[in-house]
Amino acid sequence: MDQTLSYDVVVIGGGAVGENAADRAARTGLSVLVVERELVGGECSYWACMPSKALLRPGAVLAEARAVPGVAELLTGTLDPAQVLARRDVFTSHWDDRSQVEWLDSAGLGLLRGTARFAGEKELRVDNEEDGTSTRVIARHAVIVASGSEPVIPDVPGLAESTPWTSREATAVEEVPSRLAVLGGGVVGVEMATAYRDLGAEVTVIVRGDRLLTGAEPFAAEEIGTALRELGVDLRFGTETTAVRRDADGVHLTLSGPQGEQTVDADELVVATGRRPRTAELGLDVLGLDGITVDDALQVPGHDWLFAVGDVTGRTATTHQGKYDARVAGDVVAARFGSDDALRDAEREAGDWSRFRATADHAAVPQVVFSRPEVAWVGQTEQQAKDAGRSVRTVSYAIGSVAGASVSADGYQGTAQLVLDRDSHVILGATFTGPDAAELLQTATVAVVAGTPLSRLWHAVPAYPTVSEVWLRLWETAGL
Ligand SMILES: Cc1cc2nc3c(=O)[nH]c(=O)nc-3n(C[C@H](O)[C@H](O)[C@H](O)COP(=O)(O)OP(=O)(O)OC[C@H]3O[C@@H](n4cnc5c(N)ncnc54)[C@H](O)[C@@H]3O)c2cc1C
């Protein structure tokens, strides 16, 4: 071993979630080390949220501008892929993590480059593949695992050998292929289909089931399916991929679907069929674990020094929710092992100590699909609420009928739906579709978290003429 380092807390993984956990854990004077084997900032910054949204935004802007006469006439061309990719490169900082490393430094957090593996309780071995060094790292109080997730490549004959793209290659693309096949109709599949169609590719999406976005309300999935087809995407539902082959002409997929056996030829194939926790290299067996599960304090049961946050826990799959869990875990570690006297002034000013003993509450998990229309939802779907034994009713409203929406775009199409508890009259869940629907979501999230009955929410008057006026229409549709 080349050296030994001792810190109060060690965070494995410097993605967005690990960074947050580290920052919060340091708030009561604990020394914190982040171990990262790739880029500080993780998947979200370089191969997921930021580049995918940078690829999707130009198509959304173009569609919105085309819906406003006076501007629409100016738009005579199509998107310029080179410019879109160049702007994407700015958002990924050209895959350079210097600014994030500077942030770690400014927050007083240590950084060690390399792959961390458990060598025992509160003890890790970190191997740096680049310089060949090995470091023994001792965590005096706690280890927080934030090692993220990795894509699953399904076991289809010839698929792995065909060097398919995962979301990494799809978001880091240098040259847009003419023909793209996408396996999977979840969030990543839908977003990538939209982005690549906008960039001029012929896109085929292959879905085993009979709908897209299985986590969303069925009406939202249907709207997305219709919109993708109108965009020119070839959607194949109920279709299994039985074989894949790559040759000099590209990738060739053999499919089995409602029309029997079919083939699809493409230049590239994106596999977007799900992700699994990235645990294989952590050496969890040393701790007698074969995977990571956590309680609501984000602690691994039976190990009072071991915590986990983000995608690796399998209980969150978004940056925002992973960072929320990271704030909770960081606060728990800070409160349990740190000193109140060491609290920074700002935190002492905030004064609410109960937050420091927090547990994570997942009643209102927001999710946005940045497709066209955007789909945004929070809390329970109607079916989830019923399955949970609630007596529910839904109210919905066509957002395009709201004055603010019609001013923002001719032919605005979108839907708002609330899932209401018949007994308590609170909002259990909400779904919005339409241009910029994501911006309607936070109001719904606040309402679900607050558990405030409609009779009180009715007094929250939306400004005229905004798209948010749909809330007033929803109250009215609910009978208020
Ligand atoms: C295409 C795509 C688009 C997405 N878009 C959005 C979006 O718009 N909004 C949103 O909220 N979410 C989005 N997500 C989800 C989001 O990217 C993840 O939820 C988020 O990145 C999880 O963060 P994390 O810190 O848990 O994991 P990661 O970001 O994966 O970070 C984990 C880090 O740990 C490091 N690591 C792993 N093992 C070790 C080890 N043994 N030693 C040292 N370091 C290690 C890795 O190198 C990595 O940097 C998207 C995902 C994809 C795939």
Side-chain angles (χ1 to χ4, degrees), residues 456-464 466 468-469 471-472 475:
R456 178 66 194 150
L457 290 174
W458 185 81
H459 295 281
V461 179
Y464 179 86
T466 61
S468 290
E469 231 198 343
W471 282 100
L472 175 54
W475 311 147

Side-chain angles (χ1 to χ4, degrees), residues 41-62:
E43 210 71 22
C44 182
S45 305
Y46 307 103
W47 302 284
C49 327
M50 293 316 286
S52 63
K53 266 75 264 181
L55 293 177
L56 284 157
R57 181 66 187 150
V61 171
L62 188 60

